[in-house]
Amino acid sequence: MNFKNDVEALDALRGKYDELKAEISKVIYGQDEIITQVLVSLFSRGHVLLVGVPGLAKTLLVTTISKTLGLKYNRIQFTPDLMPSDIIGTEILDKDRQFKFIQGPLFSNVILADEINRTPPKTQSALLEAMQERAITAAGKRFELEKPFFVLATQNPIEQEGTYPLPEAQLDRFMFSVWLDYPKYEDELTIVKNTTSTLQFDLNAVISREEIIYFQNVIRKIPINDNVLNYAVTLAAKTRPGSEMADPVSDQYLKWGAGPRASQYLVLGAKTYAALHGKYSPDIKDVKAVAPSILRHRIIKNYKAEAENISAEKIIEKLL
């Protein structure tokens, strides 16, 4: 990767993005915006929480994306009896009677945390450290995780019996909360036609681990105008009821607003979104494009919003 300058590197990233979307679209239909948000999070060094009812191909989406990235991939099925050692790893006595650490499935590049809200808080917390620190602690020792490290967690919003809702502190670790909706009629026809026949697609890895790390670093160097930076930080501040910058909508319908991590992700997400769409610096439109998925899981509605059936999306729409 010998690019003359960052502009040339960003042009190469745009080309890789188009290749990735084309490859993923062989298997995943009608989810262009979802694919874009997952890739924005990857290149921003974020993590994604995918929320949707069963049967919307959440797991297939993650598996397909991992195949096109050329990264090590592990799927962890979160269950009520899953222990932290089951995902981190554990120490065993080897034949020489020495303790030896056996790495768990977290030692990978792409992690699918399937149905993350089905496991107890103790195990959720073990994943939280890995997401934030890119490292884990076991038997008093710290183990660095290989870069890039990218967690895609899935959650079913309707079946809540026997689940452990993610606490706000853990939700805040996810850059995006992405809601998958039912496919359009035409897309569903294509899905059913292709998945009920013998048709199969071979997916190619179109980007390497080294390239992903390189592009993640280039995105951090993208310049941002003060007016765009101010817009992003102001937008996050407007969600905080009772503060001097609070929007009337927040005072009326919110109990709690987004913290500084939201401002950071709004800026990073806007930089990546702009780069993937052929721009060399983000504008306010790019901030608005990533804002709903960054803010929806960071604002907590009050009783009035619940009573009037006002959704988080509606509140964000008014703030924008």
Side-chain angles (χ1 to χ4, degrees):
M1 291 171 293
N2 294 316
F3 300 112
K4 292 176 185 175
N5 50 48
D6 289 344
V7 169
E8 199 175 283
L10 289 173
D11 289 338
L13 172 59
R14 171 66 198 265
K16 287 290 183 183
Y17 167 68
D18 290 337
E19 284 182 57
L20 281 167
K21 283 196 79 172
E23 202 68 24
I24 294 163
S25 297
K26 288 180 183 178
V27 177
I28 305 295
Y29 308 97
Q31 300 284 14
D32 275 6
E33 190 53 38
I34 304 298
I35 293 167
T36 296
Q37 291 190 56
V38 171
L39 293 177
V40 166
S41 183
L42 169 69
F43 289 112
S44 301
R45 296 188 195 144
H47 306 286
V48 179
L49 179 65
L50 292 168
V51 184
V53 297
L56 293 184
K58 297 187 293 295
T59 306
L60 179 63
L61 171 67
V62 180
T63 308
T64 303
I65 288 172
S66 69
K67 286 178 182 175
T68 64
L69 295 176
L71 298 173
K72 286 192 287 184
Y73 163 73
N74 271 329
R75 173 181 174 175
I76 306 172
Q77 187 65 48
F78 279 71
T79 55
D81 59 349
L82 197 72
M83 298 297 290
S85 59
D86 295 329
I87 65 170
I88 290 173
T90 188
E91 279 197 324
I92 63 164
L93 270 173
D94 63 14
K95 60 184 180 182
D96 300 320
R97 300 188 67 80
Q98 298 292 319
F99 279 106
K100 181 182 176 183
F101 181 69
I102 303 297
Q103 295 181 350
L106 269 189
F107 285 83
S108 193
N109 299 121
V110 180
I111 303 293
L112 167 58
D114 218 359
E115 295 199 271
I116 190 173
N117 58 334
R118 294 220 166 270
T119 204
K122 195 174 183 179
T123 309
Q124 290 175 358
S125 297
L127 180 65
L128 182 143
E129 182 195 1
M131 287 168 62
Q132 182 63 24
E133 306 293 334
R134 261 68 174 184
I136 62 106
T137 305
K141 294 178 185 173
R142 181 180 168 89
F143 297 88
E144 297 286 334
L145 296 169
E146 188 180 60
K147 294 176 183 175
F149 180 70
F150 184 42
V151 174
L152 287 138
T154 68
Q155 188 171 305
N156 176 353
I158 54 173
E159 192 184 334
Q160 296 302 323
E161 191 174 336
T163 62
Y164 303 84
L166 289 171
E168 282 69 29
Q170 179 137 348
L171 283 172
D172 197 45
R173 295 298 196 274
F174 289 98
M175 179 177 185
F176 284 151
S177 172
V178 178
W179 282 76
L180 278 79
D181 211 344
Y182 294 107
K184 293 177 183 171
Y185 180 74
E186 295 78 13
D187 292 326
E188 192 165 348
L189 279 176
T190 307
I191 291 166
V192 173
K193 183 180 178 182
N194 290 347
T195 55
T196 55
S197 69
T198 55
L199 190 66
Q200 286 187 323
F201 292 104
D202 290 323
L203 293 172
N204 303 307
V206 300
I207 190 168
S208 68
R209 171 181 168 269
E210 291 75 18
E211 286 174 315
I212 291 169
I213 294 169
Y214 180 83
F215 289 133
Q216 286 176 337
N217 292 330
V218 169
I219 280 165
R220 297 267 168 164
K221 292 193 256 177
I222 292 174
I224 183 167
N225 289 329
D226 285 346
N227 69 312
V228 182
L229 188 68
N230 290 338
Y231 179 81
V233 176
T234 302
L235 179 59
K238 281 164 68 175
T239 66
R240 300 163 192 163
S243 69
E244 58 180 346
M245 296 185 73
D247 189 279
V249 173
S250 302
D251 283 330
Q252 189 177 8
Y253 292 120
L254 294 182
K255 183 165 62 176
W256 206 255
R261 193 179 272 119
S263 304
Q264 293 170 335
Y265 279 146
L266 284 168
V267 170
L268 262 178
K271 283 185 176 187
T272 308
Y273 191 88
L276 297 183
H277 291 83
K279 292 192 271 187
Y280 304 121
S281 182
D283 55 29
I284 288 173
K285 283 184 182 176
D286 298 310
V287 178
K288 287 184 174 182
V290 297
S293 294
I294 289 173
L295 295 177
R296 71 159 59 96
H297 58 301
R298 290 184 165 88
I299 59 175
I300 301 171
K301 297 186 292 181
N302 61 17
Y303 176 75
K304 184 176 172 65
E306 299 287 357
E308 295 182 21
N309 202 23
I310 305 288
S311 66
E313 283 70 26
K314 198 73 181 169
I315 294 167
I316 294 166
E317 195 180 302
K318 289 182 178 181
L319 291 171
L320 290 171

